[in-house]
Amino acid sequence: MSDRRRAILEGAARVIARRGVRGLRVGELAAEAGVSTALIYYHFKDRTGILRHALAFIGDRADRYTGTGSVAPAGPTGPTAEDPRRLLERTLLLEFQDLPEVRENSTAWGELRAHTIFDPELREELTAAGAAWVEEVAGLLGALCPAAPAAAVTAAAERLTALLEGLSGRWLSGLLPVGHARDLMRGAIGVEIDLLGSPIRQID
């Protein structure tokens, strides 16, 4: 990705986080990114193109800061191939980091999701992104609970990702301390694993 294209997408994430999807104006985005409006239209064609690419950028950025190269939050340390529970916890708990990039990303994701309630223009892309996230979490749960039925594993992944989005909204709104959000998420992970019948014990 070129530096200017990245700057535009980073600017779009910032503007969406601050003003919501309806508040995204190409002129303001150009000022935020330090580029011309003509360059934005050259790369993304129209406002819908900006939103679609911004959604993909936000998803890719979340993958980076919840990946194996990130710094884990207080509690579990980095994952290993022999410790799938820690990998699962890491993937979910790293969504609760009191860092500007994570706050901005989570806020922008929430704004994009809320936008689809009234406008279906991004619904297909958001549905696909949400399904991929559920599939990722289900894969980690399946490694922990290999005897569990696939439908039960998917349902557990859906509950965990939905809970994470709800807790994230409360944390970002200042209604929930980040440490408490992590504790609640960690507890929910334990409940779901117990329901699925994991043979793998957590390593403290």
Side-chain angles (χ1 to χ4, degrees), residues 1-177:
M1 184 185 299
S2 70
D3 290 344
R4 286 187 174 181
R5 186 180 177 90
R6 179 178 295 279
I8 294 167
L9 292 173
E10 288 174 345
R14 286 193 298 272
V15 173
I16 292 169
R18 283 200 309 262
R19 300 187 178 274
V21 174
R22 291 186 179 184
L24 180 66
R25 300 287 181 269
V26 176
E28 182 180 356
L29 173 56
E32 183 74 30
V35 300
S36 67
T37 56
L39 186 66
I40 293 174
Y41 285 120
Y42 170 78
H43 281 293
F44 304 106
K45 308 303 180 191
D46 54 24
R47 185 174 179 278
T48 299
I50 296 167
L51 290 173
R52 286 180 174 149
H53 284 88
L55 173 62
F57 174 78
I58 288 165
D60 290 344
R61 190 162 66 172
D63 287 342
R64 288 195 299 275
Y65 65 66
T66 59
T68 55
S70 302
V71 177
T77 56
T80 66
E82 295 76 32
D83 191 356
R85 178 159 180 165
R86 285 192 176 173
L87 179 55
L88 173 63
E89 289 189 347
R90 179 188 182 90
T91 299
L92 296 174
L93 294 175
L94 282 173
E95 292 285 354
F96 300 103
Q97 298 183 78
D98 203 4
L99 300 172
E101 181 182 68
V102 178
R103 282 183 165 275
E104 178 185 282
N105 225 53
S106 296
T107 302
W109 171 263
E111 292 291 340
L112 287 161
R113 191 178 69 248
H115 177 68
T116 64
I117 296 171
F118 304 103
D119 192 330
E121 68 177 325
L122 295 176
R123 194 167 293 163
E124 186 176 337
E125 289 85 353
L126 275 163
T127 298
W133 190 24
V134 168
E135 184 179 0
E136 178 187 358
V137 174
L140 296 170
L141 285 167
L144 271 166
C145 312
V153 171
T154 299
E158 289 175 337
R159 286 191 293 269
L160 287 174
T161 53
L163 176 64
L164 192 152
E165 288 184 335
L167 291 174
S168 179
R170 291 190 179 191
W171 161 55
L172 292 166
S173 300
L175 304 177
L176 199 65

